[in-house]
Amino acid sequence: LVLSVVVHRIVKCCKYVLLSSPSFYLDHKLDSLMWKEVFYSNYQEMKNNSNINSQTIIEFINKGILFYEELLKRIEHDPQFASCVYFMYIHLGDLHRYLATEQRNETTPKKSRYSISKAFYSKALLLDPHHGYAYHGLAVLATYEETHCLAIYCYLRAATCRYPLRSANQNLRIELEQNEIALKEALSNQSLSAKISHKKQYVDVWVLNVVYH
């Protein structure tokens, strides 16, 4: 994929501002601008284009990973960049999640498939537990791995932390609704004990709804 001249300029300018003034970079949402305009929007556009094959998408994702890894090497251990490093971890977690999804290696267990992505989200969480992005990333991975109790917990934390992520509210509602449907189906099944034993991820949704609301 050949990125436009405008996109290259966005990358160059944002990178310069980041290294020159990290506070200005974050206050003026340049991190969000670069992520959305250069990586996220292009990835979504490629996924929705039937003329672009999976290998091309994988190559694009790998370029994004390389970009953020190289940038991270320059700022990771400098305290003045701590908040910027948090978002670098989030972006790398997202990119590795996209990569694992595109590669679709069915022979690899789901938990192993997303282990690198999980590691970056976990590093972000340790660096700053008050933002919702890391919780939300871990929640998405939990849904992939079908560990729904963990998904609900992480969505709940993403929605209620000091700096919550708005999209977590809707995702939490969806997860609770799906859990409630699955639990009712299990309770109505004659072989109840076997059903509950097989599906270990049910949550008492009524209790969670009380806590959430």
Side-chain angles (χ1 to χ4, degrees):
L1 180 68
V2 179
L3 299 180
S4 69
V5 174
V6 173
V7 168
H8 281 294
R9 286 179 178 172
I10 290 174
V11 171
K12 185 177 180 179
C13 291
C14 289
K15 185 176 178 180
Y16 174 80
V17 174
L18 166 63
L19 298 175
S20 303
S21 177
S23 59
F24 185 94
Y25 176 81
L26 290 176
D27 290 345
H28 290 78
K29 303 186 185 303
L30 297 183
D31 177 80
S32 178
L33 171 68
M34 183 165 67
W35 168 251
K36 290 180 179 178
E37 295 300 323
V38 178
F39 299 103
Y40 180 76
S41 62
N42 278 291
Y43 171 64
Q44 294 298 327
E45 184 178 335
M46 293 171 76
K47 278 180 62 69
N48 295 325
N49 189 337
S50 58
N51 295 321
I52 298 179
N53 60 44
S54 181
Q55 187 56 40
T56 301
I57 299 176
I58 289 172
E59 289 174 3
F60 173 76
I61 296 170
N62 278 323
K63 287 179 180 179
I65 290 173
L66 181 62
F67 171 79
Y68 278 111
E69 284 181 342
E70 290 181 345
L71 198 55
L72 189 60
K73 287 178 183 178
R74 301 182 64 175
I75 68 173
E76 188 170 17
H77 302 295
D78 190 331
Q80 69 173 323
F81 291 102
S83 295
C84 299
V85 170
Y86 174 89
F87 289 104
M88 299 291 168
Y89 287 155
I90 297 298
H91 300 328
L92 282 165
D94 288 345
L95 287 167
H96 278 286
R97 173 162 57 87
Y98 301 158
L99 182 63
T101 301
E102 291 299 327
Q103 288 175 331
R104 295 186 181 89
N105 186 354
E106 298 300 332
T107 61
T108 304
K110 289 181 179 180
K111 289 187 178 182
S112 300
R113 196 182 311 165
Y114 297 103
S115 59
I116 299 177
S117 179
K118 184 179 295 184
F120 276 112
Y121 291 142
S122 298
K123 289 177 75 171
L125 186 59
L126 287 173
L127 187 63
D128 186 352
H130 303 300
H131 275 87
Y133 291 100
Y135 290 115
H136 191 269
L138 291 170
V140 173
L141 293 184
T143 62
Y144 290 174
E145 296 170 356
E146 299 179 357
T147 52
H148 297 292
C149 283
L150 180 59
I152 289 172
Y153 169 78
C154 289
Y155 279 136
L156 185 62
R157 291 300 299 269
T160 59
C161 60
R162 187 181 300 171
Y163 304 105
L165 197 62
R166 290 182 180 179
S167 59
N169 289 286
Q170 182 61 26
N171 290 334
L172 177 59
R173 291 179 189 278
I174 292 171
E175 193 69 26
L176 285 170
E177 289 169 1
Q178 291 176 342
N179 182 87
E180 185 171 8
I181 292 170
L183 182 57
K184 286 180 178 179
E185 289 177 354
L187 291 173
S188 65
N189 192 290
Q190 292 182 350
S191 55
L192 175 61
S193 60
K195 191 78 172 180
I196 295 295
S197 176
H198 177 65
K199 292 181 177 286
K200 297 179 180 179
Q201 294 300 320
Y202 294 130
V203 178
D204 189 337
V205 293
W206 296 278
V207 173
L208 267 176
N209 274 310
V210 169
V211 173
Y212 180 54
H213 293 296

